[in-house]
Amino acid sequence: MTAVSSPSYHLALTSRSEHLFTVTLHIPACEQQRTVLTLPAWIPGSYMVRDFARNIISLQARAGNNALTVTKQDKQTWSFSAPGQAVTVTYTIFAFDLSVRSAYINDEFAFCNGTSVFLQVSGFEQQPHQVTIENPGLDNWITETTMPVSGSSYQCANYAELIDHPVFMGKAHTQSFVVDGVEFVMLLSGEAPVDIDRICEDLVPICQHHLDLFEKPYPVERYVFMTMLAENGFGGLEHRSSTALLYPRMDLPLPGDSKTRTDGYTTFLSLCSHELFHTWHVKRIKPDVMVNPDMGAEVFTNQLWIYEGFTSFYDDLTLARAGTITNQKYLEIVGQNLTRLMQNEGRKLQGAAESSFDAWTRFYKQDANSVNHIVSYYTKGGIIAMGLDLLLRRESGEQYNLDHLMRLLWQHYGKDESGTPDDVIHHLCQTHFDIDVSAYLEKVVYGTDDVDLTGWLDDIGVALHTRTKRNMADKGGTAPVSQPKHAFGANTKAATPGLSVLQVISGTPAQRAGLQIGDILLAIDGLIASESHFQRLLDAQDPARGTVPVSVIRDGRLLTLSMPVEPAVQDACYFTITDEKKFNSWLGKAE
């Protein structure tokens, strides 16, 4: 064995059919009485304890020819005694989580995050870490990672860097393009005939926008959009010089498709925009408690509304600024986001800062009733960011806006990764713009007030409207076509017979009637309910009756509930452009 002064890892794909990785870890001799190994319990950017160590199915350690006794101390910690001796640890990992968070192997590709496969050696965290990745020896398989190359292996400065470079092995289409000296690589897993040329072409102005916003020097020289394609699934997770993406393959353009961008493809470009933005805003600019976090337990912060919320504002805004989507399409997306927020009864109970703090236990562990109790720091944070931009423009006479604030965050907290305090937004606005945003933040971030955009929208040539939803699947964002007369308040799906109740919204007729999640809604006023005509039957009711009988099956019992007949509420939002010149100016588009 080659002598080493710091930990080195050998990663091998050992079984596609059994979904197994094997890692061989070489630990140099040290004088510790006991060597301690741990695996992170969570991965940065995904705020839930996932206990990755549960997928380690075997682990052995040897010093030379001697097997060592390994003690498992807790769910993610092992230790052994070998003072003064170099040790080799071999362990096997089960990898079958098709997500961006963990590790996955099938017949077509293998993927892993470092948090799932690389054990941390106590005492060596700040030392360089070396990695070799064994070539699987399979036809048309490639290996891709953004770990820095050093000869025939990879060299990371420390353990934190080691776990921040995902690894892909498998069949894939790849194509690179250069924007302002930075190489970007699009990787699409598998062999589906996706139009990768078109994707790269569409990403160029998006990448250029982010580079221009934060200005030189850039934090990366090479960046990989590492995309796992599947029949279904959605996700994105940021890393320091790459992102791991999961996306439905048939939502991406194929050669010969119309050049019209479908909603599915537009969402993919927005996802790429979102994750690339995190290269600055999350991976470098980050909450102070995330600078050196404890990877074995939850790390609580009130600031996720700043990080995911601001990024959610910029992801679609960038597409509009780049001309990837039309002005009206952008406003449709913002209208859908605002509709989602307005239909979230939990926004009246939980603020954006509290939502950030509770991400570990509430946002990432949602159930069918969460809509009534929590608010999304992504969705509300994005609307807060839009309101803050408009407020800064108004108060400064268009001298300052959110772009200026983002650059200040980068200059003061991102370049040196020093970490932001909870009051960073108020502090920067007060210190650098002489604008006091504390009252705004107190209401919409720390309180539960809605962001009142209406007073600012005329400044950018936009008007906000509301209407009733056509049905519970109506996302809003567009002008009315037909509108229901009466409110319902439950999300359902087709059942045989009737409708299965998936979600009941507080304060609606469905909730007041006593409808519960899991009920099978059979009939309304004696007539069988179905997806196609339930709302028609409800709208046909005479409000003078006051209530209408609804028949349900609950836990094997047939019940009749009395549901109030009430007017439909205007809870869908959409925008119109009243002054194209003003709106283009806000977007930063040349006339």
Side-chain angles (χ1 to χ4, degrees):
M1 183 183 72
T2 304
V4 293
S5 59
S6 57
S8 65
Y9 303 79
H10 178 85
L11 174 67
L13 167 59
T14 46
S15 176
R16 286 186 290 172
S17 60
E18 295 181 278
H19 320 292
L20 300 179
F21 284 115
T22 298
V23 178
T24 305
L25 164 61
H26 298 298
I27 305 171
C30 64
E31 297 307 316
Q32 296 180 117
Q33 287 301 305
R34 291 197 70 79
T35 299
V36 178
L37 308 176
T38 60
L39 197 69
W42 57 279
I43 184 168
S46 183
Y47 305 107
M48 187 173 85
V49 170
R50 299 186 185 276
D51 293 329
F52 299 122
R54 63 190 171 86
N55 292 315
I56 295 181
I57 58 178
S58 67
L59 185 149
Q60 302 86 33
R62 303 186 71 85
N65 295 322
N66 299 319
L68 301 176
T69 299
V70 179
T71 301
K72 191 169 187 179
Q73 296 181 191
D74 58 35
K75 62 182 180 178
Q76 62 209 38
T77 309
W78 295 258
S79 69
F80 53 82
S81 181
Q85 301 179 78
V87 174
T88 298
V89 180
T90 304
Y91 53 101
T92 303
I93 300 147
F94 178 68
F96 202 56
D97 176 10
L98 181 56
S99 76
V100 296
R101 301 177 300 266
S102 186
Y104 179 75
I105 300 170
N106 69 6
D107 63 297
E108 198 170 44
F109 68 88
F111 167 84
C112 64
N113 285 293
T115 44
S116 291
V117 297
F118 296 130
L119 285 166
Q120 176 179 287
V121 185
S122 179
F124 287 89
E125 295 90 345
Q126 299 306 317
Q127 298 297 314
H129 286 61
Q130 181 178 302
V131 179
T132 57
I133 301 174
E134 184 175 313
N135 187 329
L138 298 168
D139 288 343
N140 301 320
W141 276 49
I142 65 169
T143 297
E144 177 61 84
T145 181
T146 52
M147 279 190 272
V149 176
S150 177
S152 60
S153 62
Y154 302 94
Q155 190 84 22
C156 296
N158 49 44
Y159 183 78
E161 182 181 354
L162 172 69
I163 60 173
D164 211 5
H165 295 282
V167 175
F168 176 90
M169 293 180 274
K171 298 176 182 177
H173 298 290
T174 64
Q175 183 161 308
S176 65
F177 56 98
V178 176
V179 181
D180 205 6
V182 178
E183 180 189 9
F184 292 91
V185 179
M186 173 55 64
L187 182 152
L188 303 170
S189 73
E191 298 179 306
V194 177
D195 191 346
I196 194 168
D197 292 341
R198 181 179 173 190
I199 295 173
C200 291
E201 181 181 346
D202 284 341
L203 281 174
V204 167
I206 294 168
C207 296
Q208 185 71 66
H209 172 274
H210 293 352
L211 295 173
D212 290 345
L213 176 63
F214 291 101
E215 303 175 337
K216 291 181 178 179
Y218 306 138
V220 295
E221 296 178 354
R222 183 175 185 268
Y223 184 93
V224 177
F225 295 96
M226 191 177 290
T227 312
M228 293 174 283
L229 299 182
E231 182 177 4
N232 298 297
F234 178 91
L237 188 63
E238 65 274 7
H239 295 276
R240 65 181 57 199
S241 51
S242 64
T243 178
L245 306 172
L246 174 65
Y247 211 75
R249 63 175 66 88
M250 296 311 295
D251 278 359
L252 298 183
L254 303 180
D257 278 356
S258 164
K259 292 301 180 182
T260 301
R261 294 185 183 93
T262 63
D263 286 349
Y265 179 43
T266 297
T267 299
F268 178 73
L269 295 175
S270 176
L271 179 63
C272 291
S273 173
H274 185 103
E275 300 305 330
L276 178 59
F277 198 86
H278 278 325
T279 305
W280 293 266
H281 195 57
V282 165
K283 297 313 300 182
R284 274 85 181 175
I285 317 166
K286 62 184 70 174
D288 46 13
V289 296
M290 292 296 180
V291 174
N292 292 297
D294 177 359
M295 298 298 296
E298 297 94 335
V299 179
F300 297 96
T301 175
N302 290 320
Q303 298 181 45
L304 297 183
W305 65 273
I306 302 172
Y307 288 93
E308 295 298 350
F310 283 27
T311 305
S312 295
F313 170 66
Y314 274 102
D315 54 17
D316 294 313
L317 178 68
T318 300
L319 269 61
R321 285 177 167 178
T324 306
I325 55 176
T326 65
N327 291 359
Q328 193 59 56
K329 183 64 178 178
Y330 168 68
L331 288 175
E332 178 184 329
I333 293 170
V334 178
Q336 291 175 347
N337 293 337
L338 189 56
T339 297
R340 188 179 307 115
L341 181 61
M342 291 297 100
Q343 293 166 2
N344 181 179
E345 287 296 301
R347 79 186 196 282
K348 300 174 182 177
L349 301 176
Q350 186 186 56
E354 184 184 357
S355 173
S356 301
F357 193 88
D358 288 343
W360 299 87
T361 55
R362 300 182 71 186
F363 184 77
Y364 270 88
K365 295 182 179 181
Q366 293 187 43
D367 56 34
N369 202 38
S370 293
V371 67
N372 295 316
H373 301 290
I374 69 172
V375 68
S376 167
Y377 52 81
Y378 281 83
T379 307
K380 186 168 186 182
I383 300 301
I384 289 170
M386 185 175 189
L388 182 58
D389 177 73
L390 298 177
L391 184 157
L392 292 175
R393 290 171 184 270
R394 170 76 66 85
E395 293 297 315
S396 70
E398 290 293 331
Q399 186 177 357
Y400 300 116
N401 56 46
L402 199 64
D403 289 354
H404 295 100
L405 181 59
M406 293 308 307
R407 293 190 187 104
L408 287 173
L409 283 165
W410 172 243
Q411 292 160 10
H412 290 271
Y413 298 96
K415 288 183 177 180
D416 63 0
E417 300 185 39
S418 56
T420 56
D422 284 355
D423 67 348
V424 64
I425 301 303
H426 168 263
H427 170 73
L428 289 177
C429 291
Q430 185 73 67
T431 303
H432 295 272
F433 306 151
D434 194 25
I435 297 174
D436 185 356
V437 298
S438 58
Y440 174 74
L441 298 180
E442 191 62 35
K443 290 178 180 179
V444 302
V445 174
Y446 300 100
T448 56
D449 286 11
D450 291 332
V451 179
D452 185 6
L453 296 174
T454 53
W456 295 311
L457 289 176
D458 185 60
D459 294 352
I460 62 170
V462 169
L464 172 63
H465 313 273
T466 59
R467 60 170 175 80
T468 58
K469 292 175 61 178
R470 293 186 295 277
N471 49 51
M472 291 303 290
D474 185 352
K475 297 179 181 179
T478 56
V481 178
S482 61
Q483 300 186 70
K485 291 171 55 181
H486 297 142
F488 178 41
N491 283 315
T492 62
K493 69 175 182 179
T496 306
L499 301 169
S500 177
V501 177
L502 305 177
Q503 195 175 54
V504 181
I505 310 302
S506 293
T508 64
Q511 182 264 317
R512 282 194 279 274
L515 208 63
Q516 295 183 8
I517 297 165
D519 284 353
I520 302 298
L521 198 163
L522 289 178
I524 177 171
D525 201 20
L527 295 174
I528 296 296
S530 71
E531 278 191 310
S532 60
H533 58 244
F534 174 79
Q535 188 64 49
R536 291 177 59 205
L537 292 173
L538 180 58
D539 285 347
Q541 302 304 312
D542 183 355
R545 294 179 61 182
T547 62
V548 61
V550 175
S551 303
V552 303
I553 297 174
R554 179 181 299 161
D555 193 30
R557 296 172 292 135
L558 181 63
L559 305 175
T560 299
L561 307 177
S562 182
M563 189 169 76
V565 180
E566 299 178 359
V569 296
Q570 294 201 340
D571 55 358
C573 306
Y574 68 98
F575 295 90
T576 56
I577 299 172
T578 58
D579 188 322
E580 195 81 36
K581 184 177 180 180
K582 281 185 179 180
F583 191 59
N584 279 329
S585 176
W586 179 70
L587 289 174
K589 287 185 173 181
E591 293 184 36

